[in-house]
Amino acid sequence: MKGVLSISFFLCCLLLLLDSSLSLPLCLDSRAPFTLNSTLKFCPYNGSTCCNLTQDAQIKKQFQGMNISDPSCASVMKSVLCASCDPFSAELYTVQSSPRSVPVLCNSTIPTNSSQSKTEVEDFCSQVWDTCQTVSTTNSPFAPSLQGQTGGAPTDKNTTKLTELWQSKTDFCNAFGGTSDNSSVCFEGIPIALNKTETPIIPPHGLCLEKIGNGSYLNMVAHPDGTNRAFFSNQMGKVWLATLLDEGSGRTLELDESSPFVDLTDQVYFDTMFGMMGMAFHPNFAKNGRFFASFNCDKSKWSGCSGRCSCNSDVDCDPSKLATDQGAQPCQYQTVIAEYTANGTTYQPSSAESASPTEVRRIFTMGLPFASHHGGQILFRPDDGYLYFMMGDGGSTGDPYNFAQNKKSLLGKIMRLNIDNIPSAAEISKLGLWGNYSTPKDNPYSEDKDLQPEIWALGLRNPWRCSFDAERSSYFLCADVGQDLYEEVDLITKGGNYGWRAYEGPYLFNPTQSPGGNTSLKSINPIFPIVGYNHSDVNKNEGSASITGGYVYRSTTDPCTYGRYLYGDLYAGAIWAATEDPTNSGNFSTNKIPFSCAQDSPIKCDSTPGSSLPALGYIFSFGEDNMKDIYILASTGVYRIVPPSRCNYTCSLEKETTTAGHAPSPTSPSHASSRWCNFYGYLFLQFSSFLLLLFGLM
């Protein structure tokens, strides 16, 4: 890099990095909205809502206690209090990460780029002021002390008027008002509704791929230091550190198969359904060198494979009554998360080119009841630093023991673990934990005491590849493998129940055997898939193999794919692009996308006999690098998505990119610069840390 990068540019980049949270239907407790079987009696929210009947009654009691005599003011205040039931209440009640006691009130006409339902709305903040300014209210929610504001005169009276709390309408609306745009919503006195896109959404004409490697890998993780390096691992348990050359350079993946970063094959049990299923690098890996592997082991072959059986009395399961599965005894196979460290210097672990295969500590070990459906992916969420662990239902046809719906079982769940705060051995034993970790205090068990504290979401069959949207970490998307009929993609939220085995995707599921009992449909509020496909959609003769989840595409390389969620089928005969409409609504449509290989691919792609598709073999996983380019990890090699013009696909936005030097975004005008900001921001933070260290301030 030549020249000096200005501080102002770095600050711009940091602002772009920080301004990445867009609205998603979420409740104040970070759970997904739900649909009630009955109608709320006080608040006007029917259908999707964040309030149950008890909360609705509490709001009514609060309203009655305000003793508002003026009918017009009472109507306005009721709508304000009931906004906590809105499906977008998490967004309405949070500004710059600070919680509020009232929603953000629309204080101007909604701009034309707003995602909300109307092109113009009444200035609702002014309406609240004009209607209620001289009306006495007991325990007003607009008291300055509740907002951390100092704009009004202090008062000791429980019954006040707005004019006694705030000096003017301007002060009031400065404190409580806001506008709606593509990244936020405001409250206009009625439930939030989003616009439908006026012009039809045109899916990409096709994905263009280049083949950059011949190896077959199951996992890819971008190096946490922000460089053009990435880690690749195979199912047998080897991890390599590779260099990714620029798209269009004509060069292949720089990876030495003979020199792995770490070799864990002595610990990993490898077979068709077993092996090293995931890896994750600590967010602070560049400084602490900590990384984690998720794999399966066989306790008959390795003494370190020793965990409690997931079939136990706590979940009403007796392992002695389970039959052998593929010749294996119940819980002979275990799922493991182990921690390792890089062989870097004390001050620069990011420079390490190898790691020790000796465990630093065992994070998690659990015996598997059957020989399939054990997920195994692990991810760190960018904005909370916790480790997310995807676990299948344990196997066998139809989840016979109903583990996925059993709140005491960790099978069929997504877990959220704190691996930075590790309790003592005595505490671990007392709490009944499965290893060296603690559970975040805001996990769903804090509201649902029936849930095991590790659980973040439940009701999954076999989640196979999940990811966080690089621009919106609240968008946590997981592909979940179906039984015989439907493959699904779920938008995962705190405490969400995704239906299995009461449902397979949107369809009711009727199990053939139920030694573990059934779950009443009335006892759950399932969250249905955002997109998916029937098995027959892939191949009417063979059907689908299983879904492979991908990423929301955030690279500028293919601007016509930007903002769409890409996923595929294991059989590699289909790749889909799911588009959200309207933006930030959680509502998706999906299209099967043609794909082909560039003629100038660094490694020539083979063709599938009788088809125009390149011969990918099987799509095991997708990967994402630090520049947000997307990769396909297939049985025949590593493929990268490149500009559509290299495969003669038309994309008008690509022409604009060539002309203007950046890619216009259909949803975010800043994404082109944010791509570079991710890298430069990293350099700035590293340089700042160095200066602080140099001057003895750290």
Side-chain angles (χ1 to χ4, degrees), residues 533-556:
Y533 56 93
N534 291 318
H535 284 207
S536 59
D537 292 344
V538 176
N539 184 310
K540 295 188 182 301
N541 296 321
E542 298 178 12
S544 153
S546 61
I547 194 170
T548 301
Y551 289 84
V552 177
Y553 189 85
R554 293 300 183 188
S555 171
T556 58

Side-chain angles (χ1 to χ4, degrees), residues 166-190:
W166 299 91
Q167 295 177 2
S168 66
K169 181 195 297 186
T170 300
D171 288 341
F172 177 78
C173 287
N174 282 340
F176 299 102
T179 58
S180 169
D181 55 34
N182 281 334
S183 64
S184 64
V185 292
C186 62
F187 188 64
E188 52 181 304
I190 58 176

